Amino acid sequence: MTLDRKLVAELKAIVGADHVRTEAGDVEPYARDATPVFRAVPDAVVWPAETEQVAAVLRLATERRVPVVPRGAGSNLCAATVPERGGIVLVLTRMDRVLEISPGELLARVEAGVPTSVLADAAAAQGLLYAPDPGSRTVSTVGGNVATCAGGLRGLKYGVTRNYVLGTTAVLPTGEVIHTGGRLWKDVAGYDLTRLLTGSEGTLGVLTELTVALLPMPATTNTGVAYFGSLADAGRAVDAIIGDGIVPATLEFLDAKCIGAVEEYANLGLRLDAGALLLFGDDGPEDVVDRNLGRIGEQCTDSGALEVTLAENIARSEALLTARRCALPALSRLGTLTLLEDATVPRPRLAAMVDRIDEIADRHEVPMATFGHAGDGNLHPTCVVDQRDEAAIHRAHEAFGDVFAAAIEMDGTITGEHGVGAAKLPYLEARLGADQMALLRRIKAAFDPAGILNPGKLGS
Amino acid sequence: MTGPQQQHMATPPGRGIFDPALLDRCISCGFCLPACPTYAVSKNEASSPRGRITLMRALETGRLDEDDPRLREESSFCLGCRACEPVCPAGVQYGDLLEEWRDHQWRGRRRPPPAQALMMIAERTALLRMMGLVRRHARTAAPAQTSLMLGCFERGLFPGVSRAVRTLLPDIAVPPHQGCCGALHAHNGESEKGRELARTLGETLPGTIVTTAGGCAAHLAGVLGRDRVQELSEHLAKTGATPVGEVKIEGRRARVAIQDSCHLRNGLRVFAEPRALISAVADFVPVQGDDSCCGSAGTYSLLRPRDSKRILAPKLDAYEAAGVDYVVTVNPGCQRQLHGNLRRRGSAVHAVHLADLLAAAAGGRPLPRGRRWRVPQVRVNLRRRLRRRGASGGTAGWSA
Ligand SMILES: Cc1cc2nc3c(=O)[nH]c(=O)nc-3n(C[C@H](O)[C@H](O)[C@H](O)COP(=O)(O)OP(=O)(O)OC[C@H]3O[C@@H](n4cnc5c(N)ncnc54)[C@H](O)[C@@H]3O)c2cc1C
Ligand code: SF4
Ligand code: SF4
């Protein structure tokens, strides 16, 4: 599909000629996001600067039945911004202002294209914490975080993005601008559309402005590391920690392969003979943090940890968190194609799930490394192969199919935080069942009668 | 195609423009986006490292051909500053990819004429020497363990820099017959010629090569090996020399900021050393963006003057807002860019090379004075201007 010249001219009239591109070389960089393999070229890329422009573009698109794919930083890992049916990629990165930080109300108002870390820094400058902390925060946009309901490294104690969205300004595919929620913590007037839009992956509306909750900045943060002989031991330690009544901010794990890859990249002096590493951290008043980390350390030791150490200072603590954040790219250095998944199980079944993953990887003869958010039962099994080895890629996908099935069998899900996008749509029905799938489609149709907003993804 | 079917496609073989091992490294994670100055001004992914790599891939697989206007544009809009490298967790060697890209994209008559002209001058050692004769730079033929490399355009434009180095490092050899290091060629579509020139220069200069040009240091180190080459601040740090004296203005220590050299910072990861040296002789003032490209970027300010200024302007604003007296540079291209543009603004801030700052602190040639200030003469015995750190100390001078 190519766009007719009249439509292109109309788009230019809305956002300005400089902010519409249609040439092959101009649209090529928007054919993909951070998801490997998936690629589809859009017909146009459009960069709006304000809500009204977004509304005008969507009205036009509905009228002409042209697909529109909203895009933030394009850092998602489920091909959610790949324009499977062509059309327009609508990039929100020009809308990048922090509109307001209100310490009195503990909230912030931002445009959707603000990078997550810019919001976090602006809040921190006023002594406030924006809690959602995805590994990609320097890149990802707040709009993208809300649209994917991004998780992060503090999810156990603080929850995920959903827990912080108070209100949105959203443009419906038909062009109406709606304001859901607002500056209120309590508001039950109507269906909770704020929550519905959160995690809607750009299929129900385009978010242009968000009101998010902030917290007082905790006085201190500290981090520690425990090494275990196996991931199963680490899993037991996680149960013991939470069983002891502690909900730490961070509880992350790396398996042996990940430890090796991260150490190779970051040279942090990680212990390479361990089978698993548990990274734990907490924030709050200093004495509470010290006490909690001490107790976590004890629980780890009792669960058979080989070694437990606490970060001696903030720099070291940051370095350890960075080590966790860079697990994926560090692994990618082992090959040329990095396939990553996001299966999630109830926390007590973490160790069992890890065993299943190992068994599946062996059976399909693919190398698989696993890291993830231990506290949330959220695993990222990762397979690094040669991108020209068709057979290996095929085997990896078969293996992931089995991983999803195993997760569902254990009362888990096919994706904990990365989303469905185009990548996991084929597996969605196995998780939701036919009735929910049908309901999703009816919801989608109510928002988007012409089916123009991010087609081929959720709700399709 | 959608879903699992599409997932099974393997990558087709390429045209051989790029080393596949380099091109395959990028996982499109986007971590490099916030570091890229051209993305910051354009907000267009085509003008970001990730987008450019996507374009390179399209060129490699033949999806786009080299006459595609966006490919042409991006190959030259890119500053080549390599700010995308240290932030890339996957270890993408963007600088090498850019060289391969320009080798292909700018081959033969496709090369921008001003770049061609500069390269021709740089290849003519005789011409470079003449530039040196007109404006006297430091020269000596004494054999030594360390040799000073004179940046080719630096010797003509800022001959004082090499003289300042001579006062700091009296024992350093400065062989007069030096060619170009080839960085210019490597960054302008002639990477093989660039390597050849570097190898030739390596044969001309004995021992460790010390240079006042961050860009040349990175290129030379890439060809001759990291241990053969040291940028000035790195050399001073490695030999344990501590600067003496102070740069004072109206009785107070001067306030001094830095402009990093991109390739020195992002290629050789040298940035702590010049900051430590500045702090030793003045009040070092960190300025937001002091680590990002000034838009000089080799031939960039000649090839794309408007973009170059667009990238520089907010940086100059930041230096002025910080109220510093001097901005220290560690590369002649940056010195030219900042010096010229600050002057044009009638700014009270002056750009000075690190060597000039250190020499002035030790009582050498005074620095240019600001509109509002008088630069006092600091009188220190030149012979005793430097103190060596550590137990072995005692001998004066910076050299090992
Ligand atoms: C190295 C790495 C680490 C990561 N770590 C984490 C992690 O710890 N936790 C986590 O949850 N995710 C993680 N991610 C995934 C990704 O960063 C998140 O999904 C993020 O929220 C995407 O934000 P974005 O701005 O890049 O959105 P995009 O990728 O541009 O878009 C994602 C989805 O949101 C939609 N969208 C974007 N903006 C809008 C808008 N304004 N209105 C409506 N829809 C919109 C798009 O259509 C798409 O469906 C990681 C990714 C990488 C590469
Ligand atoms: S940070 Fe590195 S791997 Fe990630 S997109 Fe940029 S160049 Fe590619
Ligand atoms: S070299 Fe500099 S301008 Fe070019 S892509 Fe990298 S960061 Fe951007």
Side-chain angles (χ1 to χ4, degrees):
Chain A
M1 179 172 131
T2 45
L3 303 183
D4 62 73
R5 283 162 81 182
K6 185 159 162 281
L7 179 63
V8 174
E10 284 171 284
L11 289 169
K12 287 184 174 172
I14 297 168
V15 295
D18 278 354
H19 303 300
V20 178
R21 304 275 170 171
T22 55
E23 298 302 319
D26 293 337
V27 298
E28 176 75 24
Y30 290 90
R32 59 166 299 178
D33 46 39
T35 322
V37 185
F38 285 84
R39 183 183 166 276
V41 184
D43 299 298
V45 183
V46 175
W47 290 265
E50 51 192 58
T51 302
E52 271 317 309
Q53 293 181 355
V54 173
V57 170
L58 289 182
R59 242 183 331 262
L60 190 62
T62 284
E63 196 184 297
R64 304 293 176 79
R65 300 289 190 269
V66 178
V68 174
V69 181
R71 177 172 169 122
S75 73
N76 75 86
L77 295 163
C78 61
T81 49
V82 174
E84 298 266 309
R85 316 242 166 111
I88 298 167
V89 168
L90 190 70
V91 188
L92 287 124
T93 48
R94 280 177 73 208
M95 299 180 63
D96 64 350
R97 285 179 303 161
V98 174
L99 300 169
E100 179 188 357
I101 304 275
S102 172
E105 286 172 284
L106 287 177
L107 58 78
R109 234 162 27 87
V110 297
E111 290 186 321
V114 167
T116 316
S117 58
V118 170
L119 164 59
D121 291 348
Q126 309 233 20
L128 299 169
L129 173 74
Y130 176 63
D133 178 32
S136 52
R137 67 202 186 125
T138 55
V139 193
S140 67
T141 64
V142 178
N145 289 166
V146 174
T148 56
C149 187
L153 267 54
R154 290 195 278 246
L156 181 56
K157 178 167 165 180
Y158 289 107
V160 294
T161 301
R162 144 182 339 115
N163 304 99
Y164 295 86
V165 190
L166 295 174
T168 74
T169 297
V171 185
L172 300 180
T174 35
E176 303 92 324
V177 178
I178 61 169
H179 304 278
T180 73
R183 310 173 75 101
L184 304 165
W185 261 257
K186 298 175 83 168
D187 181 3
V188 293
Y191 292 135
D192 192 344
L193 295 181
T194 306
R195 281 230 170 177
L196 182 57
L197 287 167
T198 305
S200 64
E201 298 184 8
T203 62
L204 300 181
V206 177
L207 304 163
T208 56
E209 200 183 297
L210 299 147
T211 307
V212 296
L214 305 175
L215 297 170
M217 184 66 83
T220 50
T221 306
N222 203 359
T223 311
V225 180
Y227 295 95
F228 294 88
S230 70
L231 255 175
D233 288 349
R236 264 192 301 281
V238 170
D239 290 346
I241 291 163
I242 296 181
D244 194 25
I246 311 171
V247 183
T250 298
L251 210 44
E252 301 284 313
F253 73 96
L254 302 178
D255 73 1
K257 288 180 206 128
C258 296
I259 299 172
V262 166
E263 181 59 22
E264 173 90 31
Y265 163 62
N267 288 313
L268 292 161
L270 302 179
R271 195 168 153 165
L272 294 173
D273 62 346
L277 176 161
L278 196 63
L279 184 73
F280 52 90
D282 203 9
D283 55 15
E286 197 167 341
D287 53 328
V288 176
V289 172
D290 284 353
R291 199 169 55 235
N292 280 351
L293 293 193
R295 277 165 66 195
I296 294 172
E298 278 164 31
Q299 293 295 351
C300 288
T301 311
D302 291 352
S303 309
L306 307 173
E307 182 190 333
V308 181
T309 47
L310 295 187
E312 58 274 18
N313 53 37
I314 293 175
R316 179 69 189 166
S317 183
E318 260 311 305
L320 289 172
L321 288 172
T322 306
R324 166 56 190 83
R325 288 195 189 101
C326 73
L328 166 64
L331 278 172
S332 79
R333 293 177 179 225
L334 304 177
T336 54
L337 183 65
T338 308
L339 303 164
L340 157 95
E341 279 310 339
D342 185 34
T344 303
V345 292
R347 187 174 39 235
R349 311 182 92 153
L350 186 74
M353 182 66 193
V354 169
D355 285 345
R356 282 292 289 278
I357 291 176
D358 285 346
E359 177 267 314
I360 291 167
D362 286 348
R363 184 152 42 81
H364 290 277
E365 294 173 36
V366 288
M368 215 173 289
T370 305
F371 62 95
H373 315 283
D376 308 331
N378 187 185
L379 302 115
H380 294 315
T382 304
C383 195
V384 187
V385 294
D386 175 358
Q387 63 172 251
R388 290 175 184 83
D389 184 347
E390 206 136 346
I393 298 173
H394 181 79
R395 285 201 307 278
H397 280 286
E398 301 270 290
F400 281 133
D402 288 358
V403 168
F404 296 145
I408 291 172
E409 211 176 281
M410 293 191 186
D411 296 328
T413 184
I414 56 171
T415 171
E417 59 178 13
H418 291 168
V420 175
K424 254 162 291 182
L425 193 61
Y427 307 99
L428 189 61
E429 185 156 352
R431 166 76 179 114
L432 296 184
D435 290 344
Q436 268 199 69
M437 285 296 280
L439 179 60
L440 251 57
R441 290 192 184 107
R442 291 201 298 275
I443 293 173
K444 164 77 174 162
F447 275 79
D448 182 14
I452 56 134
L453 203 58
N454 211 354
K457 315 284 172 60
L458 268 186
S460 292
Chain B
M1 273 193 294
T2 58
Q5 276 165 314
Q6 186 183 3
Q7 295 180 7
H8 293 162
M9 287 192 324
T11 308
R15 296 169 60 193
I17 298 166
F18 296 94
D19 175 354
L22 290 178
L23 205 53
D24 291 350
R25 200 97 306 275
C26 173
I27 55 168
S28 296
C29 67
F31 271 44
C32 48
L33 265 56
C36 176
T38 56
Y39 179 67
V41 294
S42 68
K43 289 282 184 322
N44 182 348
E45 274 215 35
S47 308
S48 79
R50 173 169 74 173
R52 288 181 177 127
I53 291 171
T54 301
L55 289 172
M56 292 180 209
R57 285 175 170 158
L59 176 63
E60 177 71 16
T61 55
R63 272 201 302 276
L64 294 176
D65 70 57
E66 48 265 30
D67 291 323
D68 181 273
R70 180 52 63 179
L71 265 173
R72 282 217 306 264
E73 164 68 7
E74 292 305 332
S75 70
S76 86
F77 186 29
C78 175
L79 292 153
C81 69
R82 295 167 65 186
C84 39
E85 285 187 37
V87 296
C88 172
V92 169
Q93 292 163 270
Y94 182 88
D96 293 345
L97 281 170
L98 181 64
E99 284 183 15
E100 293 182 352
W101 188 9
R102 287 188 179 162
D103 278 353
H104 181 81
Q105 192 87 42
W106 291 9
R107 65 194 187 281
R109 271 183 297 148
R110 292 163 192 259
R111 181 166 310 123
Q116 183 69 44
L118 282 180
M119 283 192 275
M120 279 170 59
I121 297 174
E123 282 164 36
R124 310 259 182 306
T125 321
L127 238 169
L128 291 176
R129 277 175 61 203
M130 262 168 55
M131 288 167 59
L133 287 176
V134 179
R135 306 188 60 178
R136 213 170 55 83
H137 60 78
R139 224 168 320 146
T140 153
Q145 293 291 60
T146 47
S147 327
L148 179 64
M149 192 221 115
L150 305 169
C152 15
F153 293 96
E154 184 177 40
R155 22 192 127 145
L157 291 171
F158 305 109
V161 172
S162 58
R163 283 202 300 274
V165 175
R166 286 281 297 154
T167 62
L168 297 169
L169 299 167
D171 298 332
I172 200 165
V174 191
H177 303 278
Q178 301 190 12
C180 170
C181 74
L184 184 62
H185 300 71
H187 303 150
N188 287 284
E190 283 262 29
S191 65
E192 192 38 56
K193 179 86 191 165
R195 278 189 287 276
E196 188 188 310
L197 285 166
R199 282 189 292 266
T200 311
L201 189 62
E203 286 157 20
T204 320
L205 300 175
T208 303
I209 301 173
V210 176
T211 167
T212 48
C216 305
H219 175 68
L220 278 175
V223 180
L224 301 178
R226 187 66 184 93
D227 42 352
R228 264 304 295 285
V229 185
Q230 289 172 0
E231 179 274 336
L232 177 67
S233 70
E234 193 189 5
H235 178 70
L236 297 176
K238 283 228 164 84
T239 52
T242 324
V244 294
E246 259 185 325
V247 180
K248 287 198 153 187
I249 283 175
E250 290 173 351
R252 62 167 172 87
R253 268 162 88 91
R255 292 167 53 78
V256 181
I258 193 170
Q259 165 61 55
D260 275 311
S261 148
C262 292
H263 285 201
L264 186 60
R265 182 181 180 103
N266 303 321
L268 299 184
R269 312 285 152 104
V270 172
F271 50 88
E273 293 87 339
R275 284 170 172 74
L277 290 169
I278 295 171
S279 302
V281 300
D283 280 346
F284 174 66
V285 182
V287 172
Q288 174 97 29
D290 58 12
D291 56 349
S292 76
C293 184
C294 67
S296 164
T299 51
Y300 197 85
S301 56
L302 297 174
L303 301 181
R304 303 186 66 109
R306 273 190 37 218
D307 289 320
S308 169
K309 293 223 164 62
R310 190 150 69 115
I311 282 163
L312 177 66
K315 295 175 57 77
L316 295 187
D317 294 345
Y319 287 125
E320 293 194 318
V324 296
D325 305 306
Y326 298 107
V327 186
V328 158
T329 62
V330 282
N331 186 58
C334 317
Q335 175 64 24
R336 195 184 65 86
Q337 172 88 337
L338 265 61
H339 174 70
N341 286 287
L342 283 168
R343 197 180 47 190
R344 225 157 286 150
R345 280 186 175 214
S347 176
V349 182
H350 288 265
V352 296
H353 191 281
L354 178 65
D356 284 329
L357 182 87
L358 297 176
R365 197 164 67 115
L367 299 175
R369 44 182 75 210
R371 272 176 303 166
R372 290 171 280 133
W373 308 305
R374 229 167 27 84
V375 181
Q377 295 284 336
V378 187
R379 294 211 180 277
V380 181
N381 183 345
L382 267 179
R383 286 267 117 214
R384 292 170 49 209
R385 69 206 172 282
L386 303 166
R387 191 164 34 80
R388 301 253 327 252
R389 218 188 354 226
S392 66
T395 40
W398 292 91
S399 48

